[in-house]
Amino acid sequence: MSFVTPDQPRRATDARGAGARPPGRAGPPRRVPAPRAAPAGRSHPPLVVAALVAAVGAAVTSWLPVALVLWLFQLSEGAASLPGAVRAGAAGWLLGHGVPLATDAGTLGLAPLAVTVLAGWRLIRAGVHVSRAIGARGGRSPGRTLTAAVAVGIAYALLGALAAMLVGAGGPGVSPVRAGLTLAAIGTLAAGVGAARTTGLAEVFEQAPVPFREGVRAGLAAGLALLGAGAAVAGLAVATGGGDAADLIGAYRTGVAGQAGITLVSLAYAPNATVWSVSYLLGPGFAVGTDTAVRTSEVSVGALPALPLFAGLPSGPVDGVGAVAVLVLPVLVGMATGWLLSRRLLRLTAAERAPLPWRRLLAPAALAGPVAGLLLGAAAEASGGPLGAGRLAEVGPVGWQVALAAVVVTGGGALLGAAATRWSTRFTG
């Protein structure tokens, strides 16, 4: 018989509850799971296998929507077939990467940026998967990051060359060499972004000087804000001309499936229209054919193809209040960027209990303009291209003009906004 004393209540019970064996009672030894032995040899899939699987996954997920949309066109014409849909989808997929197609009507090189963005996102994920597969996660190794990116780029280039040969066998002419080189560059760059994030190499950016880091962030924010403003303006223009767009879609007389396909193709080119709208807001404008111009001060266009993409084009120059609003909007975006930058730096210096020097504020504000210019200039260059031979050989904005305008407008607005915010808080700074 056991007793529980007042100074040691329930000690035996507590010990039993913790998994201990009561004293004096024998029993089999407690089993503890042995640690799983690491497999001998290689514990990760080979680099070639990982890169090929990731590249195929990225290619299929970005090719499939294009093939489905173009299959709707074929279905409306009564000529739908699996080989035809595969070949047409491959042609549209290559066009989305900026690979031109040689057709009877001339060179088709206007890339649908929605396909480009989808493919870029999937390639970033491919870089993430490959860097994890080779065990490079968190290693901050530039060599392994580059290895993962190049492996995905090479695999993606092979898929691009195969797609070009498939398309060229019974459709538009495509250069396999051009397709391979283009997809190799895109695949390596996009996969490098994902690999750098996974290996931790992207964290090196956080160790850069504060003015540089804040200037890059402000420039990217300004560029994205301008793209958002461009999307809003383009959407408003299309909504205003919605009747014309509906008439253009109905004029094809291809049935419900064909009209759905035309609508989806227009949505694939919606990012292009967004970039063109930004170019219109910044001043350089864009072209819809040789010797044409669409800008706030001039609209000169000829006969346009029957595409809903062109339904929202302005009918003439903007004057009065509309012109002021168009000119002021990019400047306001730049000033808002400078205001946000100044508020962020003021919070940082307040935490450090130190005043905010003017140089520490104006340097990142001045850097925001070139960063936004590079972003928008690259987007403008990617958004244009030929729609055939003859007059439609030039469609879209000129990249360097958009970049220069973005540098001046965004950089100037950011400097004004940052300086005004700092001046208004001079008594507390």
Side-chain angles (χ1 to χ4, degrees):
M1 182 175 181
S2 61
F3 296 91
V4 179
T5 60
D7 60 323
Q8 291 181 335
R10 314 181 71 85
R11 179 174 297 174
T13 305
D14 292 342
R16 189 178 298 115
R21 202 173 285 111
R25 182 178 296 178
R30 189 175 182 182
R31 292 186 176 181
V32 179
R36 182 177 297 178
R42 179 156 38 199
S43 58
H44 301 288
L47 175 63
V48 175
V49 175
L52 187 59
V53 170
V56 169
V60 170
T61 52
S62 56
W63 160 83
L64 188 58
V66 182
L68 290 176
V69 170
L70 296 179
W71 176 75
L72 290 175
F73 278 112
Q74 296 179 349
L75 185 65
S76 65
E77 297 175 356
S81 64
L82 182 59
V86 170
R87 187 178 295 111
W93 179 72
L94 289 174
L95 183 62
H97 290 78
V99 180
L101 308 177
T103 65
D104 296 336
T107 301
L108 180 60
L110 188 63
L113 289 187
V115 179
T116 308
V117 172
L118 175 61
W121 172 63
R122 292 307 306 164
L123 285 168
I124 291 174
R125 298 302 304 169
V128 171
H129 297 323
V130 172
S131 56
R132 288 177 179 174
I134 63 176
R137 184 174 185 176
R140 295 190 179 184
S141 171
R144 305 193 78 179
T145 302
L146 183 61
T147 298
V150 171
V152 174
I154 293 175
Y156 208 61
L158 293 176
L159 296 175
L162 291 176
M165 289 187 287
L166 174 65
V167 173
V174 187
S175 169
V177 176
R178 172 77 178 269
L181 293 176
T182 302
L183 270 68
I186 295 175
T188 301
L189 291 175
V193 173
R197 292 177 57 187
T198 304
T199 60
L201 192 62
E203 297 177 4
V204 176
F205 175 75
E206 298 297 331
Q207 301 174 3
V210 174
F212 175 79
R213 189 170 67 241
E214 296 298 332
V216 171
R217 285 174 175 168
L220 292 177
L224 293 176
L226 281 173
L227 287 174
V233 172
L236 180 62
V238 172
T240 304
D244 296 336
D247 293 339
L248 287 175
I249 294 176
Y252 281 91
R253 303 188 182 280
T254 55
V256 177
Q259 292 179 3
I262 296 171
T263 304
L264 292 174
V265 169
S266 301
L267 291 177
Y269 281 101
N272 300 65
T274 296
V275 178
W276 299 353
S277 179
V278 173
S279 177
Y280 180 81
L281 293 175
L282 289 173
F286 56 93
V288 286
T290 306
D291 298 328
T292 64
V294 178
R295 56 177 68 100
T296 55
S297 59
E298 175 190 6
V299 176
S300 59
V301 295
L304 297 174
L307 296 175
L309 178 67
F310 301 113
L313 289 178
S315 57
V318 181
D319 52 7
V321 179
V324 174
V326 169
L327 294 174
V328 168
L329 182 58
V331 179
L332 291 178
V333 170
M335 295 182 66
T337 302
W339 176 77
L340 292 173
L341 173 65
S342 181
R343 299 300 301 176
R344 176 179 173 83
L345 291 177
L346 285 171
R347 285 195 299 267
L348 291 177
T349 53
E352 299 171 357
R353 297 184 178 181
L356 177 60
W358 281 99
R359 185 176 63 179
R360 186 178 177 183
L361 171 64
L362 297 182
L367 181 60
V371 172
L374 287 175
L375 174 63
L376 296 176
E381 194 67 29
S383 69
L387 268 178
R391 196 177 60 83
L392 292 178
E394 296 180 8
V395 177
V398 180
W400 70 266
Q401 295 179 358
V402 176
L404 181 60
V407 169
V408 174
V409 175
T410 306
L415 286 171
L416 288 174
T421 305
R422 180 66 181 88
W423 180 81
S424 65
T425 59
R426 67 191 184 281
F427 297 108
T428 60

